[in-house]
């Protein structure tokens, strides 16, 4: 099984500042056949289902503000929220979807300082 | 529009069974696998497994074998999760979510149901 390790568990960031969340996979999720990393980032606000923000490590889903960006390849990935807004308070999860079981990271809580 | 709509909250006694439904609309049902994801109170997301909507073949994560059963009714584009011999620790929100069956198109779980709360208490 591919183990996904997220850090930090939580972080507090001032409005307008940058939040950075890291995710490490125990095996590479990169496929050379199509040059894609099978890694997604989700946002879950209180009382709501998760929402896919970023697919293939760096592709923003339709409608996702451009202050959200994903980077990384292979086993090390980062979600960056630039210019943090109040509505970004949520839990964030990474997930690999290269192979079953489709494992999630443990989650990162983002709050306003 | 593309959506997954789940059945309502359930309150069950230990030892009972529960069946949660997830109805898909707005897309070709058999192009996407349906996943089940558990979220225990105050905890993170846990992938339970998925069902191939083309073949009806389920795949279960290691912690979800035995008492858990995934099924389909393709005539009404609906997937089901049944949990038998319920325990208090099954208390959680259960989500369904789709993911492309075709590996090259798979970009993650892009559509989620609203979640079904299952509470197990005597």
């Amino acid at each position: 099984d591919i183990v996904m390790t997220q850090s930090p568990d939580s972080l507090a960031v001032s409005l307008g500042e940058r939040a950075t969340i890291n995710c490490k996979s125990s095996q590479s999720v990169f496929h050379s056949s199509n040059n894609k990393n099978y890694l997604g980032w989700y946002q879950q606000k209180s009382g709501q289902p998760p929402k896919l923000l970023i697919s293939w490590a760096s592709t923003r889903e339709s409608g996702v503000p451009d202050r959200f960006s994903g980077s990384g390849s292979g086993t090390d990935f980062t979600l960056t929220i630039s210019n943090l807004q109040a509505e970004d308070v949520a839990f964030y999860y990474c997930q690999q979807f290269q192979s079953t079981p489709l494992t999630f990271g443990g989650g990162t809580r983002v709050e306003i300082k | 529009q593309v959506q997954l709509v789940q059945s309502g909250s359930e309150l069950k006694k230990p030892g009972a069974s529960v069946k949660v439904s997830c109805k898909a609309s707005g897309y070709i049902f058999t192009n996407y696998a349906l996943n089940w994801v558990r979220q225990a109170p105050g905890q993170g997301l846990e992938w339970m497994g998925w069902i191939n909507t083309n073949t009806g073949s389920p795949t279960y994560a290691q912690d979800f074998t035995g008492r858990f059963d995934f099924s389909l009714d393709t005539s009404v584009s609906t997937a089901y999760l049944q949990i038998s011999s319920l325990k208090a620790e099954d208390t959680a929100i259960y989500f369904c979510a789709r993911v492309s069956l075709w590996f090259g198109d798979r970009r993650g779980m892009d559509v989620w149901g609203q979640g079904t709360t299952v509470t197990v208490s005597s």
Side-chain angles (χ1 to χ4, degrees):
Chain A
D1 296 2
I2 299 177
V3 177
M4 308 300 292
T5 303
Q6 266 184 254
S7 62
D9 292 336
S10 66
L11 74 162
V13 176
S14 301
L15 288 171
E17 297 300 307
R18 176 179 299 178
T20 301
I21 301 168
N22 299 300
C23 176
K24 188 174 183 68
S25 58
S26 61
Q27 302 172 35
S28 175
V29 296
F30 177 74
H31 266 259
S32 56
S33 60
N34 58 10
N35 282 332
K36 289 178 179 175
N37 287 281
Y38 281 70
L39 186 286
W41 288 97
Y42 299 84
Q43 176 193 63
Q44 187 180 28
K45 296 183 178 180
S46 179
Q48 297 184 18
K51 173 186 175 183
L52 181 63
L53 293 178
I54 303 282
S55 57
W56 294 316
S58 60
T59 302
R60 262 190 311 275
E61 289 291 289
S62 176
V64 174
D66 61 7
R67 64 180 180 273
F68 291 93
S69 62
S71 61
S73 184
T75 61
D76 292 279
F77 302 91
T78 300
L79 174 70
T80 301
I81 312 171
S82 305
N83 186 21
L84 189 81
Q85 302 296 300
E87 60 263 33
D88 301 334
V89 168
F91 280 88
Y92 293 84
Y93 297 91
C94 61
Q95 184 203 26
Q96 66 80 19
F97 43 93
Q98 180 203 65
S99 61
T100 59
L102 306 186
T103 39
F104 291 93
T108 296
R109 179 180 181 176
V110 173
E111 56 187 5
I112 305 298
K113 186 187 293 182
Chain B
Q1 72 278 28
V2 176
Q3 59 180 353
L4 297 171
V5 178
Q6 297 183 227
S7 49
S9 298
E10 301 270 8
L11 173 61
K12 296 291 184 181
K13 293 190 183 304
S17 295
V18 69
K19 193 169 187 177
V20 176
S21 67
C22 171
K23 183 172 175 60
S25 60
Y27 69 94
I28 299 172
F29 185 65
T30 51
N31 279 356
Y32 294 83
L34 277 174
N35 299 266
W36 291 97
V37 176
R38 183 172 78 177
Q39 188 166 40
Q43 301 300 308
L45 304 172
E46 195 173 11
W47 186 76
M48 301 172 65
W50 68 13
I51 187 163
N52 184 318
T53 53
N54 265 314
T55 64
S57 174
T59 299
Y60 300 96
Q62 189 168 5
D63 288 346
F64 297 97
T65 58
R67 298 188 298 115
F68 300 85
D69 182 69
F70 306 151
S71 61
L72 295 173
D73 184 343
T74 54
S75 69
V76 289
S77 299
T78 300
Y80 301 93
L81 162 66
Q82 182 162 344
I83 311 171
S84 57
S85 303
L86 282 162
K87 307 174 183 180
E89 51 263 42
D90 294 322
T91 295
I93 301 174
Y94 293 85
F95 295 101
C96 61
R98 75 173 194 176
V99 69
S100 177
L101 276 169
W102 319 119
F103 187 77
D105 292 340
R106 188 174 300 161
R107 66 181 203 269
M109 299 179 186
D110 63 339
V111 179
W112 290 67
Q114 80 276 22
T116 296
T117 299
V118 175
T119 303
V120 184
S121 174
S122 54

